[in-house]
Amino acid sequence: MAINDTSPARTPLDYQLRHALDQAFDQLIEALEQVVTRFQQGPQAIWRFDGPAGDGASGNRIDNVSWLRQALLDMWHAHGQDGRETRNYIGLVAADDALLAAVDEANLAKADMAACLQRIKAQSTGMLSDAKAHLPRRHPDVEQVLEKTGLARLHLKQCWRKLPVAEAPVSRVRFAWYSSGRSIKKLSVRDAEQKLLALDSEAAHIRIQLRKLAGIPSGEILAQVQAQAPLMRANLFFTEPLEDGHTRRALNAAMPIFVPSHDGRLPHTNKPPPTPPDARTRARRRDEKLESDIFLPSLRVFRYR
């Protein structure tokens, strides 16, 4: 080691975790390639939201295989891409037993990969960054990956997101945009005060919000709301009720949905609009727990009713 090298020395555990990650990544790539291979060997049927005809229709055999491989192996950050965003591949894939088994193996490999990355993150955030920079070099298409601008860093969410599978044969699928999703984080009054002070305690609009905050009980719990990007939802209607009695299931459709099909036929599918609606289309729930007026605009904080 050089005299001026201040990087921490690697421990045996570091090397073990790196080796385990390399193995997990190799197994994941192999499992995903096996899904593509099984698709090629079985009935050829795909419905794609971005179909070449603009109506969701699938392309020819080569197009379908290429699209599926891209959907499964797209695990890289695009140049300038927000790390919280993921690229979507909305579609349906008719799956026989062999293909469904391959998808199950791929999801197990994704779970192993996620667990390994979490162990590395717990050990060292710096080691996690090194791992994300190192893994692309193990990709079988490494030259193509590294030739593309900005695609040399692993996108963890795109790496470990599961491939959705219908639990039973499906008669029809209804796709619809969901534009009113949001995440809610509970905040104490003290937490909200600290966040406001961290912005600019001298600004007039911050002082107004601090006074509003001082006028409520110190033990009150507040809600910080973050609107989520629109996403496509798929409602699956099963041919026969499941053992638990359910006749349908709703899934987020960010990845191709594999539906059991022994003859290669796909369920009837609607044609959703190409883009999400500009405004909320669903009526507000009568049991809405948050007040309609925002309490602290700078923090997107609401009071509970």
Side-chain angles (χ1 to χ4, degrees):
M1 181 181 295
I3 295 177
N4 295 326
D5 189 354
T6 59
S7 59
R10 290 290 177 87
T11 68
L13 178 59
D14 291 340
Y15 287 109
Q16 291 173 11
L17 289 174
R18 170 63 66 83
H19 179 65
L21 180 62
D22 287 347
Q23 286 188 316
F25 184 73
D26 293 347
Q27 290 169 1
L28 173 58
I29 297 298
E30 183 179 348
L32 293 173
E33 288 286 1
Q34 187 65 18
V35 172
V36 178
T37 298
R38 291 298 185 188
F39 173 75
Q40 289 176 294
Q41 295 172 346
Q44 296 288 332
I46 279 184
W47 178 91
R48 289 160 44 188
F49 179 56
D50 64 342
D55 59 359
S58 64
N60 59 39
R61 183 176 184 277
I62 296 177
D63 286 341
N64 287 342
V65 172
S66 177
W67 180 85
L68 184 60
R69 175 175 281 111
Q70 180 181 354
L72 300 185
L73 295 175
D74 183 1
M75 300 183 291
W76 318 101
H77 276 283
H79 180 67
Q81 181 183 3
D82 189 324
R84 297 167 297 181
E85 296 178 352
T86 54
R87 290 183 290 278
N88 296 332
Y89 295 89
I90 301 168
L92 298 173
V93 181
D96 58 14
D97 290 341
L99 179 52
L100 289 173
V103 172
D104 287 342
E105 289 297 319
N107 279 333
L108 287 174
K110 283 175 171 286
D112 288 344
M113 181 80 179
C116 193
L117 286 165
Q118 289 299 325
R119 289 195 296 271
I120 288 176
K121 183 178 180 180
Q123 175 74 1
S124 167
T125 54
M127 186 178 174
L128 179 62
S129 297
D130 290 344
K132 288 191 290 184
H134 161 77
L135 283 176
R137 294 174 175 81
R138 300 190 64 83
H139 193 279
D141 299 325
V142 61
E143 292 184 0
Q144 296 180 19
V145 170
L146 297 181
E147 281 175 2
K148 297 179 181 178
T149 304
L151 293 186
R153 189 162 62 94
L154 198 65
H155 191 309
L156 298 186
K157 288 185 178 180
Q158 289 183 198
C159 175
W160 64 46
R161 59 182 176 180
K162 290 185 65 175
L163 305 179
V165 181
E167 301 154 90
V170 175
S171 60
R172 59 192 175 100
V173 179
R174 292 293 176 266
F175 287 96
W177 287 105
Y178 181 65
S179 303
S180 54
R182 59 185 182 175
S183 62
I184 299 177
K185 178 183 178 182
K186 292 185 177 181
L187 289 180
S188 68
V189 171
R190 176 64 175 169
D191 290 337
E193 180 185 31
Q194 292 299 315
K195 287 180 178 292
L196 285 173
L197 291 172
L199 295 177
D200 182 1
S201 60
E202 298 302 318
H205 69 287
I206 297 296
R207 292 201 300 270
I208 292 172
Q209 293 174 80
L210 285 169
R211 287 197 295 269
K212 289 177 64 178
L213 197 59
I216 67 174
S218 59
E220 182 173 338
I221 298 299
L222 303 170
Q224 186 173 38
V225 178
Q226 174 67 53
Q228 296 177 335
L231 56 84
M232 185 73 78
R233 294 274 286 174
N235 276 291
L236 312 182
F237 294 83
F238 299 113
T239 304
E240 300 289 341
L242 302 179
E243 291 184 2
D244 59 10
H246 285 93
T247 58
R248 65 186 182 96
R249 188 81 74 200
L251 297 173
N252 290 343
M255 293 291 284
I257 301 172
F258 293 83
V259 294
S261 176
H262 296 292
D263 58 7
R265 293 184 180 181
L266 286 166
H268 183 270
T269 306
N270 68 321
K271 178 185 175 182
T275 58
D278 294 331
R280 181 188 180 106
T281 57
R282 299 179 64 182
R284 292 191 177 274
R285 293 168 56 108
R286 292 185 177 181
D287 60 350
E288 173 68 68
K289 296 180 179 180
L290 301 181
E291 292 185 346
S292 56
D293 295 329
I294 192 167
F295 183 60
L296 304 175
S298 296
L299 301 178
R300 305 180 312 278
V301 164
F302 291 76
R303 296 180 73 181
Y304 285 95
R305 294 183 186 275

